[in-house]
Amino acid sequence: MRQNKAVIGSAVGFIGVMIIILLIAKPSALIFGIQRAGLYAAIALPMALVLGIVHIVNLAHGEMMMIAAYLTYSICVAFGLDPLVAMVPTAVIMFFVGMLLFRFTIRYALKAPELNQLILTFGLAMVLSQGINLLATSQPRKLSVDYVTSSATIGNVSFGTYDFIFLAVAVIFLTGLMLFLKKTRLGKAAMAVGQNPVGAQFVGINVISTYTIIFAIASAMLGIMGAFFITKMSIFPTVGGAYTMKSFCLVAMAGIGNLPMVLLSSLVLGISESAVQSIPGGTGWSPLVFFGLIIAVILFRSYAKTAGVK
Amino acid sequence: MKLELRNISCGYGKLTVLNGVSLTVDEGSVGLFGPNGAGKTTLIHAVLGMVPLQNGEIYFDGERIDTKKTHTIVRQGISVVPQERELFPAMTVLENLQVGAENIDRARAAMADTLELVYSYFPILKERQGQYAGTMSGGQQRMLAVGRALMAKPKLLILDEPSLGLQPSIVHELFDILNIMKKEISIFLTEQNLRESLRTVGKGYILENGHIVLEGDADGLANNPQVTRAYLGL
Ligand SMILES: Nc1ncnc2c1ncn2[C@@H]1O[C@H](COP(=O)(O)OP(=O)(O)O)[C@@H](O)[C@H]1O
Ligand SMILES: [Mg+2]
């Protein structure tokens, strides 16, 4: 508990300091940072859900979002729909895709050593991106949607307003998940399974079907994100990989099972990346910020543990 | 209520732990006694379908259950207080109790009443209802595990070595409560502490190396020289 408070405290403090510095020096970088944080958090939250309850690190996470983006793209092209309308069938299809992936692959690795689970989901990631490569070629695809270019100007800073939608999605995801886990019977059962799958069996919970539904829900969330993703970004078969890495690192920073911290760590990451990029010639340095932060947080956690901070 | 194990054998992989065990629990309370490693926990896990049978059958209320899944068996009315308690450490006492009832239709409908009943057996759980289960003492966790099992409104309550790791005064207190509880519900318990359990059970089995070596009513066991020498230290 105290360790958590310390982590939250330093995250909030860090964000506060960065906000003040950027507000004075480079307000646009602050806005981009917050928008980027929303995108990161919205993609990382489903992974945090799966890791917290199913205890599986899904290395095909970003690829599943990529699949969803291609699905939305195909639906839009085939039926002339807006991506935000195509989002609904995409989410539904992804729910069942997740269910099938879990039932026929991941389920069999649940009791296997962690390395085998990683190899399995890494293999899935390759199958998905290579599959898309075969089906759709490596040519980038993009939808042109007019509302994404809306912008606003405050003082002498102008910025895209549409990008705040990612932050909104992240907040809705987080609130929805918290309500689901605290208030619904299925959600509470999922919490129990996450804390102690053996204990969950003793109270009459069907553990495997709980895992399946949680994985399917996370996949549907990736479906929604895939649709939002293609409204703004171009997609290609390997676009997901970076998001797998970032999501994994954000979830590791947040601590397993800690969903609100995912949003905070995304803010830390998004704002600092954006701050570094706003320095002339800094663009190439932003991955360094990313990995530096991860290492700092993980070192801090291990230090706090060995120092006996509980 | 009747639980019947007919000539069951089971184990882990090639290791056979239980070898042709037959045992019946009907109304009243029954004990299964034996040293560490005898197979007591394995037997309970076999009843819950967590360890597959190599041979034999298990019937509950006349229905064969050894082919069913654990959650189905629990929902049919068998609740277990596991040896390792298996609580949800980051949930409060109250949440642990609620989750004990929520996944079973019959129990969910009666949740408020059962909660009062559990609190009447274990007032400490009511006092501590907002505390995280993981921060409670061993004795309190054992009581919470019993309470959580009762929340399922079982027809049969199984306790796996409830005295394990508890100091004698708490063991005594726990068995006093079991003695009240057994008027309402059938109890099947495994133990190494025969001194306490023989005042609770009506009938007992002695399990050694995967075989039932002796069975009889509580008085018979208490006066059997074999039992008094091995388990009561007389
Ligand atoms: N998961 C397991 N895998 C392999 N062997 C086990 C496992 N659990 C128990 N055993 C073995 O089965 C035997 C019986 O164990 P157990 O049922 O726990 O005995 P008891 O509860 O009477 O102490 C022991 O020899 C133990 O080592
Ligand atoms: Mg045991």
Side-chain angles (χ1 to χ4, degrees), chain A residues 1 182 184-185 188-189 191-193 195-207, chain B residues 45 48 50 70-71 74-75 80 82 86-91 99-100 102-104 108 148:
Chain A
M1 282 287 131
K182 292 258 182 247
T184 69
R185 202 200 317 156
K188 284 191 268 185
M191 288 285 274
V193 170
Q195 283 181 31
N196 183 351
V198 176
Q201 288 190 292
F202 281 104
V203 295
I205 295 172
N206 185 343
V207 173
Chain B
H45 286 179
L48 280 189
M50 291 169 161
T70 303
H71 62 97
V74 172
R75 289 175 191 180
V80 172
E86 306 292 357
L87 297 169
F88 305 112
M91 288 189 190
V99 90
E102 272 166 357
N103 297 284
I104 300 160
R108 190 170 49 250
R148 187 185 68 178

Side-chain angles (χ1 to χ4, degrees), chain B residues 12 15 17 34-43 83 160-161:
Chain B
Y12 307 91
L15 173 75
V17 175
N36 266 334
K40 304 181 294 298
T41 300
T42 304
L43 185 140
Q83 181 176 311
D160 194 1
E161 289 204 47

Side-chain angles (χ1 to χ4, degrees), chain B residues 39-205:
Chain B
K40 304 181 294 298
T41 300
T42 304
L43 185 140
I44 290 175
H45 286 179
V47 169
L48 280 189
M50 291 169 161
V51 176
L53 297 190
Q54 294 160 352
N55 197 16
E57 294 123 47
I58 302 176
Y59 291 85
F60 182 59
D61 280 343
E63 196 179 331
R64 190 163 171 188
I65 58 168
D66 55 89
T67 49
K68 297 192 171 173
K69 297 250 162 60
T70 303
H71 62 97
T72 320
I73 298 170
V74 172
R75 289 175 191 180
Q76 252 175 292
I78 300 180
S79 267
V80 172
V81 181
Q83 181 176 311
E84 305 301 333
R85 302 182 298 254
E86 306 292 357
L87 297 169
F88 305 112
M91 288 189 190
T92 64
V93 168
L94 179 61
E95 286 167 341
N96 267 275
L97 292 172
Q98 287 168 335
V99 90
E102 272 166 357
N103 297 284
I104 300 160
D105 295 336
R106 167 172 50 84
R108 190 170 49 250
M111 195 153 91
D113 291 342
T114 326
L115 191 62
E116 281 315 303
L117 181 71
V118 168
Y119 282 160
S120 74
Y121 289 138
F122 304 109
I124 184 82
L125 296 183
K126 186 168 190 176
E127 282 169 37
R128 300 292 177 90
Q129 61 177 336
Q131 187 178 335
Y132 286 108
T135 65
M136 301 219 297
S137 74
Q140 293 162 351
Q141 289 197 16
R142 182 74 64 190
M143 293 178 189
L144 178 54
V146 178
R148 187 185 68 178
L150 287 175
M151 291 301 292
K153 279 194 92 51
K155 297 175 195 159
L156 172 64
L157 178 68
I158 299 184
L159 301 102
D160 194 1
E161 289 204 47
S163 75
L164 193 75
L166 302 187
Q167 66 187 64
S169 64
I170 299 196
V171 174
H172 197 75
E173 192 185 329
L174 182 61
F175 274 88
D176 280 343
I177 299 167
L178 291 181
N179 280 333
I180 303 171
M181 238 179 246
K182 73 176 183 188
K183 292 172 191 143
E184 311 289 331
I185 185 172
S186 299
I187 291 179
F188 175 53
L189 58 86
T190 72
E191 260 304 341
Q192 301 191 47
N193 184 338
L194 268 72
R195 206 179 297 276
E196 285 291 348
S197 15
L198 283 178
R199 55 184 191 103
T200 300
V201 302
K203 181 171 88 165
Y205 293 83

Side-chain angles (χ1 to χ4, degrees), chain A residues 186-266:
Chain A
L186 178 61
K188 284 191 268 185
M191 288 285 274
V193 170
Q195 283 181 31
N196 183 351
V198 176
Q201 288 190 292
F202 281 104
V203 295
I205 295 172
N206 185 343
V207 173
I208 289 290
S209 66
T210 308
Y211 283 157
T212 312
I213 293 174
I214 291 298
F215 196 82
I217 290 174
S219 307
M221 290 166 72
L222 282 176
I224 294 173
M225 267 320 287
F228 278 111
F229 193 82
I230 188 122
T231 57
K232 191 74 198 188
M233 260 77 71
S234 37
I235 54 168
F236 43 93
T238 54
V239 72
Y243 291 94
T244 303
M245 282 306 295
K246 293 206 167 163
S247 301
F248 179 59
C249 294
L250 287 171
V251 172
M253 275 169 85
I256 292 175
N258 195 338
L259 298 179
M261 264 307 277
V262 172
L263 195 55
L264 272 186
S265 16
S266 303

